[in-house]
Amino acid sequence: MSAAAPPRPLVPETFPARLVEARPLGPRVRHLVFARADERPFAFEAGQWVQLILPLTDEKGRALRRSYSLASAPDGSERFELAVAKVDGGPGSSWLHALVPGAVVDVKGPAGTFTRSLETAAPSLFIATGTGVAPFRGMIHDALGKGRTEPLWLLFGVRTPDEYLFRDELEALAVRQPCLRLVPSLSRPPPGWSGRTGYVQTHVKALWAELSAAHGEPRAYICGVKKMLNAAREVLRVELGVDRKRVHLEAYD
């Protein structure tokens, strides 16, 4: 019997959303919690993204738009979460980093096909750098909240420990949920760091082999800057011969 097809992406709509919470996640990343201003439930699939339509204009006088992966799992409420990195000289991210609770912004979404169907879920290796961890946070909460137990391994590359986004939350989840394994790798490790170091793509081959040997036929999900994404994909598809249908990609630069 053939596997069920993944659900079709939801049709994006434009709606106003109010910022209800904001906090720093790291030196240059802000965690933003929005709620639909019309109080309607916001339906989406874990891993999708939304586009914010900001009250700013570009050099051609058009409304400035910025897209961000959803950092939360769908829960039937009007809320959704984002992780926004501040870009030097970036008007959009600077505006969002200055946004105060109560402010309203127009949002279009959800959109995107970077999703993980729980109906056909397999052991998964999540590979992320920086705010590329956002969709995986949503996927992890979605799977665990629905009682899934297939292995979810997160290989997460950052420069320093203070850029390890959602660290306390993810480590607490991993203690309670044996199927969740966290593999952080620092490219600029401080003295005394005992974990993995270097770029994430250098660890893909070993982790894929370990996951495959223990659980069989995993899938890879990669989200981050294109340089990392291409390097990790090269390891999987060229060096290891993984079928392209088992490698899912989302670039954000």
Side-chain angles (χ1 to χ4, degrees):
M1 182 174 65
S2 61
R8 295 178 61 186
L10 300 170
V11 177
E13 62 174 321
T14 300
F15 58 90
R18 180 174 290 106
L19 181 67
V20 294
E21 295 178 29
R23 66 184 176 95
L25 283 179
R28 302 182 65 80
V29 180
R30 198 177 190 215
H31 181 206
L32 303 178
V33 182
F34 287 94
R36 289 185 63 128
D38 58 12
E39 300 184 352
R40 290 171 52 198
F42 181 50
F44 63 95
E45 296 174 34
Q48 289 192 292
W49 51 271
V50 292
Q51 185 179 77
L52 306 188
I53 305 170
L54 308 182
L56 306 171
T57 55
D58 61 17
E59 64 280 359
K60 295 184 178 180
R62 300 171 301 191
L64 199 65
R65 298 168 181 254
R66 293 292 182 266
S67 299
Y68 298 97
S69 292
L70 291 156
S72 50
D75 61 2
S77 76
E78 70 275 17
R79 293 194 173 201
F80 60 94
E81 304 175 34
L82 308 176
V84 177
K86 189 171 185 179
V87 178
D88 290 333
S93 64
S94 296
W95 189 85
L96 288 166
H97 270 244
L99 202 63
V100 298
V104 175
V105 61
D106 284 337
V107 177
K108 184 176 182 180
T113 58
F114 188 68
T115 57
R116 180 177 179 270
S117 171
L118 296 183
E119 295 179 3
T120 58
S124 299
L125 177 61
F126 299 147
I127 306 167
T129 51
T131 53
V133 75
F136 298 136
R137 178 180 183 251
M139 291 180 190
I140 288 168
H141 277 289
D142 192 39
L144 297 181
K146 293 173 180 172
R148 305 295 305 198
T149 58
E150 63 273 2
L152 305 174
W153 291 13
L154 173 61
L155 172 58
F156 185 24
V158 295
R159 290 175 296 185
T160 58
D162 60 358
E163 295 180 343
Y164 187 168
L165 308 181
F166 302 109
R167 180 176 183 174
D168 291 345
E169 173 191 309
L170 291 171
E171 289 182 345
L173 271 178
V175 169
R176 300 194 304 269
Q177 303 286 350
C179 64
L180 176 60
R181 178 180 174 185
L182 306 177
V183 188
S185 184
L186 305 187
S187 59
R188 299 179 187 175
W193 173 259
S194 59
R196 295 181 187 241
T197 61
Y199 296 126
V200 291
Q201 55 264 32
T202 63
H203 305 298
V204 168
K205 187 181 294 186
L207 286 173
W208 185 264
E210 185 181 350
L211 182 58
S212 299
H215 303 286
E217 294 297 315
R219 288 179 176 265
Y221 296 79
I222 312 171
C223 185
V225 295
K226 290 179 182 176
K227 184 176 180 181
M228 179 281 289
L229 184 147
N230 290 335
R233 177 175 57 183
E234 183 83 0
V235 172
L236 289 163
R237 293 183 54 184
V238 178
E239 296 185 31
L240 297 176
V242 178
D243 188 285
R244 63 181 180 83
K245 294 180 180 179
R246 291 165 59 198
V247 181
H248 310 268
L249 311 170
E250 183 88 316
Y252 65 71
D253 64 338

